Amino acid sequence: MSDGSSIGTLVAILRREIARLAPGDRLPSSRDLITRHGVGPVTVSRAIALLAAEGAVVTRPGSGTYVATRRPQPAGGEPDTSWQAVALAGRHVLPDRPDEQSGTGLPPDTISLSGGYLHESLQPTRLLGAALARAARRPDAWHRSPAAGLSTLRTIFARQAGGDIGPEDVLVTGGGQGALSMLFRAIAAPGSAVLVESPTYPGALAAARAAGLHPVPVPIDDEGLRPDLLADAFAMTGARLLYCQPTFHNPTGTVLSPERRRQIADVTRAAGAFLIEDDFARHLGHGRPVPGPLVADDRDGTVIHLTSLTKPASPSLRIGAVVARGPVMRRLLGMRRVDDFFIARPLQEAAVELLSTPTWERHLRTLAIALQHRCAILADALARELPDWTLARVPEGGLHLWLRLPPALTEATVADAAATRRVAVNLGHHYFPAEPPATHLRLGFAAAADPADLPEAARRLALATRDHRPTTG
């Protein structure tokens, strides 16, 4: 029997014994437990420690282990939290987005076409483990980190951004989502408008609304955000902030065309506004050259660049970076000192180790091949199984396909039917800041356990929609 199972077995036995005892009663000594249950002293000490952490027992050095006083149960069984409705009145309610979870809490045998992260088989798990182990061996691994982040990591992110960006222009963040929340709170006053692509990343909409901002949609087309409508939106709203994803836009996969990249920056600059460039997919290309970041050509601090390592590596590598210049960087540093002081140094050191090895570049090349392969498999399967669904494009990067449903189908109908066939999908209306112009689904090809699952998922979706398609006559 393994140590883990021995500890679990002993904990279960002791819980039953504790249930029969009264608060203050003494448990058998460690020596008695070792003899009675045939386990080692380490197993006993760890089992007692787990029970103490749960509040089931208290240990008194030199005296023994005793049953803890049980917490009183509220009358009626369930606690009464109804008072919170009054206390929270007037606060914006942020909806849960369970469909954004990739493989979390899904029924067995479900094929995940939802979520925004790589399946474990695509993550560089061994590389991450080795990087973390090397980082932990550094003598200063647990020292306090500078507020802006480790200089070596900031230098790496500055080099990736390009242009004349230096480490002094980089703030290391705890991933991309937290950085978005910080940026929205730092730049725009509550009650003001923030311009966003329509559709756009739901996490950005949630972060903007949590900051008290009002997302205003600006439509996109096959070349990305439309500069003419962007100029109109700035003029009508007085907004001083634009959030966009120029490269492998989520959810459509669009890449902002070279001409429009200049126009979008010029229009934003003319409006006296900031442009948040969410470059989350820079390392998720499918093998073709990826356009450089907008921030590389920015000279006056209009563009604020956001990048993260969670997408190409692991959801738990919560390391990203913001590139900004001028007073806005000083404001961000001030917020860092209020919010969380600094990002955990061991994780930053691990990121330095990861990005400094040739194996990281090899991982990105391997990942590009795998993503392109999966993308093609799912696109072909959908065209074969569901020819009346409209695929916006076969993207050259990213993790998703964006599909418009035929008029006879609603998102909820398809999602419910898909769930009965054990396929998880993302509903399209979550990606629109206002009323969606049509019904859509976002289908991911990176979260499935195996590429062979993708044609099977398309087959199940076809069966599900046939089961629930309305009849006429």
Side-chain angles (χ1 to χ4, degrees):
M1 183 180 293
S2 68
D3 289 343
S5 61
S6 297
I7 295 169
T9 300
L10 182 58
V11 166
I13 293 171
L14 292 177
R15 283 200 187 107
R16 290 194 294 270
E17 188 163 342
I18 289 167
R20 294 191 297 268
L21 298 174
D25 286 352
R26 187 175 184 273
L27 267 65
S29 68
S30 296
R31 181 177 298 175
D32 288 341
L33 292 174
I34 291 169
T35 302
R36 185 184 306 176
H37 301 289
V39 294
V42 173
T43 298
V44 171
S45 64
R46 289 183 178 176
I48 295 296
L50 284 172
L51 292 168
E54 294 174 0
V57 300
V58 292
T59 58
R60 298 171 187 165
S63 176
T65 303
Y66 297 83
V67 177
T69 302
R70 296 182 176 90
R71 297 175 182 174
Q73 293 295 318
E78 292 295 327
D80 180 11
T81 59
S82 58
W83 64 272
Q84 295 185 8
V86 178
L88 294 172
R91 276 73 169 180
H92 183 76
V93 178
L94 297 176
D96 292 330
R97 299 201 332 273
D99 61 313
E100 284 296 301
Q101 303 303 316
S102 177
T104 302
L106 296 177
D109 301 325
T110 297
I111 300 175
S112 178
L113 302 184
S114 64
Y117 295 111
L118 302 175
H119 187 267
E120 289 86 345
S121 61
L122 296 175
Q123 297 172 21
T125 306
R126 293 178 61 184
L127 185 58
L128 288 167
L132 192 59
R134 290 195 301 271
R137 289 195 293 269
R138 294 187 176 187
D140 56 353
W142 292 97
H143 290 187
R144 175 171 177 158
S145 166
L150 298 180
S151 59
T152 48
L153 186 55
R154 293 160 66 198
T155 299
I156 292 172
F157 280 125
R159 186 167 62 247
Q160 290 181 357
D164 60 352
I165 301 297
E168 69 279 3
D169 303 318
V170 177
L171 174 69
V172 176
T173 67
Q177 188 64 34
L180 266 182
S181 176
M182 179 174 60
L183 287 171
F184 286 139
R185 289 183 289 119
I187 296 171
S192 61
V194 54
L195 306 186
V196 299
E197 298 149 316
S198 182
T200 192
Y201 167 50
L205 298 177
R209 289 168 178 149
L213 308 182
H214 301 295
V216 175
V218 181
I220 66 174
D221 59 21
D222 288 342
E223 295 185 58
L225 193 64
R226 290 182 52 180
D228 55 335
L229 297 181
L230 177 63
D232 292 343
F234 273 126
M236 287 189 295
T237 64
R240 291 295 178 264
L241 182 60
L242 164 67
Y243 167 81
C244 72
Q245 306 163 87
T247 305
F248 308 134
H249 168 265
N250 178 13
T252 68
T254 305
V255 176
L256 192 62
S257 67
E259 182 179 2
R260 288 195 184 179
R261 296 171 86 84
R262 293 188 296 271
Q263 291 174 340
I264 294 300
D266 289 344
V267 169
T268 305
R269 187 178 298 109
F274 288 100
L275 188 163
I276 297 177
E277 176 190 22
D278 190 345
D279 203 25
F280 76 99
R282 173 141 306 272
H283 301 302
L284 301 177
H286 296 175
R288 295 190 178 182
V290 180
L294 297 179
V295 73
D297 299 319
D298 178 57
R299 302 287 298 177
D300 53 13
T302 296
V303 178
I304 298 175
H305 178 81
L306 172 61
T307 188
S308 172
L309 297 178
T310 60
K311 297 297 185 183
S314 165
S316 289
L317 186 60
R318 307 303 300 175
I319 292 291
V322 168
V323 176
R325 288 171 164 172
V328 69
M329 175 56 86
R330 292 192 289 275
R331 179 173 294 191
L332 292 173
L333 280 169
M335 293 190 71
R336 159 60 50 74
R337 295 184 176 100
V338 170
D339 286 352
D340 51 14
F341 293 114
F342 56 90
I343 303 301
R345 182 162 188 150
L347 209 55
Q348 291 191 65
E349 297 281 11
V352 171
E353 291 285 348
L354 179 72
L355 299 177
S356 300
T357 61
T359 47
W360 172 246
E361 292 299 326
R362 287 200 294 271
H363 161 68
L364 294 181
R365 291 193 294 271
T366 302
L367 179 61
I369 295 170
L371 292 179
Q372 193 280 330
H373 178 59
R374 285 170 169 251
C375 179
I377 288 176
L378 183 58
D380 290 345
L382 291 170
R384 182 175 61 255
E385 301 284 356
L386 294 157
D388 54 344
W389 290 22
T390 304
L391 177 61
R393 66 184 46 76
V394 177
E396 296 182 354
L399 308 175
H400 315 104
L401 300 180
W402 182 243
L403 296 108
R404 189 175 73 246
L405 300 179
L409 295 175
T410 67
E411 294 175 8
T413 297
V414 174
D416 291 344
T420 64
R421 295 279 181 173
R422 302 188 310 284
V423 179
V425 300
N426 290 132
L427 303 183
H429 71 269
H430 291 304
Y431 298 82
F432 290 93
E435 296 80 5
T439 55
H440 295 82
L441 290 182
R442 193 192 73 169
L443 303 181
F445 45 80
D450 189 277
D453 291 337
L454 300 174
E456 172 62 15
R459 187 187 70 83
R460 293 184 189 181
L461 285 176
L463 292 173
T465 55
R466 282 198 290 272
D467 293 343
H468 291 75
R469 190 180 294 274
T471 58
T472 59

